[in-house]
Amino acid sequence: MSIKDNPQPSRSRIIGSILLWVSGGFLLLNLFFPQLFAPKIPQVPYSVFIAQVEDGEVARAYVAQDQIRYQLKTEEGQPQQVLATTPIFDLELPNRLEAKGVEFAAAPPPKNSWFGSLLSWVIPPLIFVAIWQFFLARGGGAGGPQGALSITKSRAKVYVQDDATKVTFDDVAGVEEAKTELAEVVEFLKTPQRFTRIGARIPKGVLLVGPPGTGKTLMAKAVAGEAGVPFFSISGSEFVELFVGAGAARVRDLFEQAKKKSPCIIFIDELDAIGKSRAGNGGFVGGNDEREQTLNQLLTEMDGFSAGENTVIVLAATNRPETLDPALLRPGRFDRQVLVDRPDLAGRLKILEIYAQKVKLGDDIDLKAIATRTPGFAGADLANLVNEAALLAARANRETVAQKDFAEAIERVVAGLEKKSRVLNDKEKKIVAYHEVGHALVGALMPGGGKVAKISIVPRGMAALGYTLQMPTEDRFLMSESELRDQIATLLGGRAAEEIIFGSITTGAANDLQRATDLAERMVTTYGMSKVLGPLAYEKGSQNTFLGDGMIMNPRRNVSDDTARAIDEEVKDIVEAGHQTALAILEKNRDLMEEIAQKILETEVIEGETLQTLLDRVQAIETAEVAV
């Protein structure tokens, strides 16, 4: 799809703008300095004026408080000369003028020339009309330049179909269920009679919900591309302005434009910006007149659709469906919600195949292995992964992208950039080596933690001095109690190694302890995996949110002191059991731990077959070997 760009101003419009500013300047000069355009009158001393009166040369005079203007007598047919002088306090002046037969009177208002009259009476109205037309032109229509009078105009971008840039369902992968749901919308836009003939009604609004980066906007463009109809795209925040009522006017303008181009699609991204619940639901308290008026207008416009010629489908996307107003979600408005979730293994493989077509791949590329190593990656993450791998290959002056580029790109995304400039002293380096080997050895025996793929003591990211990379062998959606306990033991393997080798502990296990404690607390308070407390939930329930990272604990319910104490004791027992398991495994495999640690101190990184050969020698422990 190609976006309709704003047209450049023409030469005539530029010239008109210049003339507008010049005319405005003349107007201001005429208003504040009218004497600039008034006729110039010669100025003479007061004594000369008196002498001319005494000699009988003055025909008439106009006396004012600050100036005297007079005309001299001339011969027939000659123009009269007008002179001016500054008066002084002279009480005899009227008598002198009357004695010499001079006509005198109070001075009339000064008369401007024809040019001054033109500026005063003709130019100002023309200027105001030109200014009015100028701002009306700047504010007219969507896609035009935004001006002072455009606050009520819709700012939606209109995408026009282009065969070279058209987005279709073939460009979207990993969300097959969502594509199936939206295919019905495409069929209705193509052949609405097929549905209306039997009395069926297509949903007027389709709400796309899901985590960030899963392709909600891309999916909406694909619907427009498949149907071959215009596509209006706008963000929810663009409706809200400082002026009350501007957002509602923009909604009206948007739907008026859409109806003129029907059948078409309106896509509103980040709908929660204007669609938050008007009650105190979702943690939103209070109201905002502008946002509420915009929401009310949107609700009204969606109710006004018809299934005839003015066919307009509204697609919207949000990461926070739990905060939306119930009136938006009722049948007749956004009456269908489509989940666009993170892809599974097969979906990730298809997404990688789509984006891999845009780069030159080497012969050793195994996209399925890459998809297996990227659980939890969304479509945007995978697109970024392919781009990072291509950048690494280009940085190394290679013509194609190799498998090792993808491996490095995955580690960049997961753990961060390598900090080769962060140099550790020998003691710290040794501690980090044993710490990471401890994680690896425990993780190799724990089936719930994934396969250990790499051990590195090269600092990465903001705080990681070393890391142990574990890759799942398959997508998992359920975890058993034993697997969760295995994860806790693996997290505590680094601390246990420090205790065994050095007899002390360091701050390096802070993040491990935090994650282990959070996992144990969820086992007790959320999953009911405690024989002491039973199958009860001690956390407040909340709706699923797509913006959380899964590590933020919900507040506990109001429980008694005895129950809170029992929860704390259970969490401590679970973490301590994992700690003792890690200690027992490392004590039994101490020689192997020493060997791997010495090897990693020499090479800094161990992975692949070398690592697997070493980890295959890990000896399992019996339950009786774990200290109580």
Side-chain angles (χ1 to χ4, degrees):
M1 296 181 182
S2 60
I3 186 171
K4 187 177 180 181
D5 297 327
N6 292 335
Q8 297 294 329
S10 61
R11 178 177 297 180
S12 60
R13 185 166 184 172
I14 295 176
I15 296 175
S17 300
I18 296 174
L19 293 177
L20 177 65
W21 287 108
V22 173
S23 302
F26 274 112
L27 173 63
L28 294 177
L29 287 175
N30 186 51
L31 290 176
F32 294 101
F33 304 100
Q35 64 275 14
L36 294 178
F37 305 102
K40 298 295 182 182
I41 301 176
Q43 196 82 9
V44 299
Y46 186 73
S47 59
V48 174
F49 167 65
I50 294 299
Q52 290 174 335
V53 170
E54 294 294 340
D55 294 340
E57 299 177 359
V58 178
R60 60 184 58 85
Y62 300 98
V63 182
Q65 185 175 0
D66 56 350
Q67 189 181 50
I68 297 176
R69 293 186 184 182
Y70 61 96
Q71 296 178 349
L72 298 178
K73 295 178 180 179
T74 58
E75 297 179 1
E76 292 294 334
Q78 296 293 327
Q80 293 180 333
Q81 183 179 6
V82 179
L83 301 174
T85 185
T86 302
I88 61 175
F89 185 71
D90 186 1
L91 296 178
E92 296 298 326
L93 179 61
N95 297 331
R96 291 179 182 179
L97 296 176
E98 186 176 1
K100 295 299 182 180
V102 178
E103 298 179 7
F104 64 94
K111 295 183 179 180
N112 290 345
S113 65
W114 65 271
F115 183 69
S117 300
L118 181 65
L119 288 176
S120 300
W121 297 99
V122 179
I123 298 299
L126 293 179
I127 291 176
F128 286 121
V129 170
I131 293 175
W132 181 257
Q133 293 293 332
F134 176 75
F135 283 110
L136 281 180
R138 284 180 60 87
Q146 300 300 322
L149 299 181
S150 66
I151 58 174
T152 61
K153 298 295 181 181
S154 168
R155 295 183 179 179
K157 302 176 182 64
V158 183
Y159 288 86
V160 181
Q161 298 299 324
D162 190 322
D163 292 337
T165 58
K166 181 187 294 186
V167 179
T168 64
F169 282 155
D170 294 335
D171 301 311
V172 184
V175 283
E176 300 305 320
E177 297 82 2
K179 288 166 62 174
T180 303
E181 288 286 330
L182 293 176
E184 187 176 285
V185 177
V186 173
E187 289 297 324
F188 177 79
L189 290 171
K190 287 183 176 180
T191 56
Q193 297 79 11
R194 172 185 168 189
F195 296 87
T196 57
R197 185 169 54 247
I198 60 175
R201 180 181 61 84
I202 199 72
K204 297 177 181 178
V206 179
L207 182 63
L208 305 177
V209 299
T214 52
K216 297 183 290 295
T217 304
L218 184 65
M219 180 68 72
K221 289 184 179 181
V223 172
E226 289 284 344
V229 297
F231 180 77
F232 291 79
S233 176
I234 191 171
S235 172
S237 60
E238 295 185 48
F239 289 110
V240 182
E241 280 283 353
L242 173 65
F243 306 101
V244 175
R250 286 181 178 176
V251 172
R252 288 192 295 270
D253 185 68
L254 172 62
F255 282 89
E256 287 176 3
Q257 296 176 51
K259 291 175 182 178
K260 292 177 182 178
K261 295 181 178 293
S262 64
C264 66
I265 291 175
I266 294 176
F267 176 63
I268 304 176
D269 202 3
E270 306 298 341
L271 180 65
D272 51 275
I274 59 172
K276 284 184 179 179
S277 175
R278 289 166 291 183
N281 299 332
F284 181 80
V285 181
N288 177 283
D289 289 340
E290 170 63 2
R291 186 189 59 78
E292 289 189 6
Q293 287 194 21
T294 305
L295 174 58
N296 291 335
Q297 186 64 44
L298 178 62
L299 297 175
T300 303
E301 291 290 343
M302 292 190 69
D303 266 343
F305 289 162
S306 64
E309 296 181 356
N310 292 333
T311 302
V312 180
I313 301 295
V314 181
L315 296 180
T318 181
N319 302 319
R320 305 174 62 192
E322 70 279 358
T323 66
L324 295 180
D325 194 281
L328 272 176
L329 305 179
R330 73 155 176 82
R333 290 183 178 129
F334 287 107
D335 46 3
R336 176 174 294 185
Q337 294 188 30
V338 176
L339 176 62
V340 186
D341 207 352
R342 291 185 175 90
D344 55 10
L345 177 59
R348 293 196 299 274
L349 179 57
K350 291 182 180 179
I351 294 174
L352 286 172
E353 290 174 349
I354 290 175
Y355 287 107
Q357 295 175 0
K358 303 177 183 179
V359 298
K360 296 180 180 179
L361 300 179
D363 297 333
D364 62 336
I365 292 296
D366 185 356
L367 293 180
K368 185 173 182 180
I370 299 171
T372 304
R373 297 182 63 179
T374 53
F377 276 43
D381 299 325
L382 294 171
N384 181 54
L385 176 66
V386 174
N387 185 62
E388 284 287 343
L391 291 175
L392 289 171
R395 190 177 302 167
N397 294 321
R398 289 194 298 272
E399 295 296 328
T400 58
V401 182
Q403 187 77 6
K404 63 180 181 181
D405 296 320
F406 278 98
E408 174 63 21
I410 292 173
E411 293 183 32
R412 280 181 172 230
V413 175
V414 174
L417 296 176
E418 284 190 356
K419 292 280 189 178
K420 294 184 178 179
S421 59
R422 183 181 295 170
V423 180
L424 303 177
N425 59 44
D426 292 340
K427 181 180 179 181
E428 289 180 336
K429 197 171 183 180
K430 187 176 180 181
I431 293 174
V432 172
Y434 279 99
H435 184 102
E436 298 305 332
V437 173
H439 283 308
L441 291 179
V442 178
L445 288 179
M446 299 289 103
K451 181 181 179 181
V452 179
K454 184 176 182 179
I455 307 175
S456 173
I457 59 172
V458 178
R460 278 185 178 270
M462 297 180 62
L465 300 178
Y467 64 97
T468 301
L469 191 62
Q470 288 184 273
M471 291 298 176
T473 56
E474 59 182 352
D475 286 342
R476 297 293 305 276
F477 303 99
L478 293 175
M479 298 292 290
S480 65
E481 180 182 355
S482 61
E483 289 173 333
L484 293 176
R485 289 179 179 271
D486 291 346
Q487 288 188 13
I488 293 174
T490 303
L491 288 169
L492 297 175
R495 177 187 171 98
E498 293 181 19
E499 293 180 30
I500 293 173
I501 300 300
F502 304 103
S504 62
I505 55 177
T506 65
T507 58
N511 182 255
D512 299 332
L513 292 175
Q514 182 67 50
R515 293 166 61 189
T517 304
D518 289 343
L519 186 54
E521 189 163 358
R522 286 201 299 273
M523 290 175 62
V524 175
T525 59
T526 304
Y527 307 140
M529 295 179 178
S530 170
K531 296 180 181 179
V532 175
L533 293 167
L536 296 176
Y538 293 95
E539 285 183 359
K540 289 184 179 179
S542 63
Q543 291 179 301
N544 292 331
T545 174
F546 296 110
L547 297 181
D549 59 3
M551 295 300 295
I552 301 176
M553 297 293 292
N554 292 325
R556 290 183 183 176
R557 299 179 184 273
N558 294 326
V559 296
S560 65
D561 293 341
D562 293 339
T563 302
R565 187 179 299 107
I567 292 174
D568 294 337
E569 290 177 354
E570 278 292 286
V571 171
K572 181 181 178 181
D573 290 343
I574 292 174
V575 175
E576 183 59 31
H579 182 214
Q580 294 301 325
T581 300
L583 286 172
I585 292 173
L586 296 180
E587 285 284 4
K588 189 166 186 177
N589 296 275
R590 180 162 183 165
D591 294 339
L592 181 59
M593 179 171 58
E594 295 276 4
E595 180 182 347
I596 299 177
Q598 292 303 318
K599 187 177 293 292
I600 199 174
L601 285 171
E602 297 173 2
T603 62
E604 290 190 338
V605 175
I606 302 178
E607 59 182 334
E609 293 296 331
T610 303
L611 177 60
Q612 294 306 317
T613 302
L614 293 170
L615 295 181
D616 288 341
R617 295 162 49 191
V618 180
Q619 300 179 23
I621 60 171
E622 301 294 335
T623 306
E625 298 181 47
V626 181
V628 179

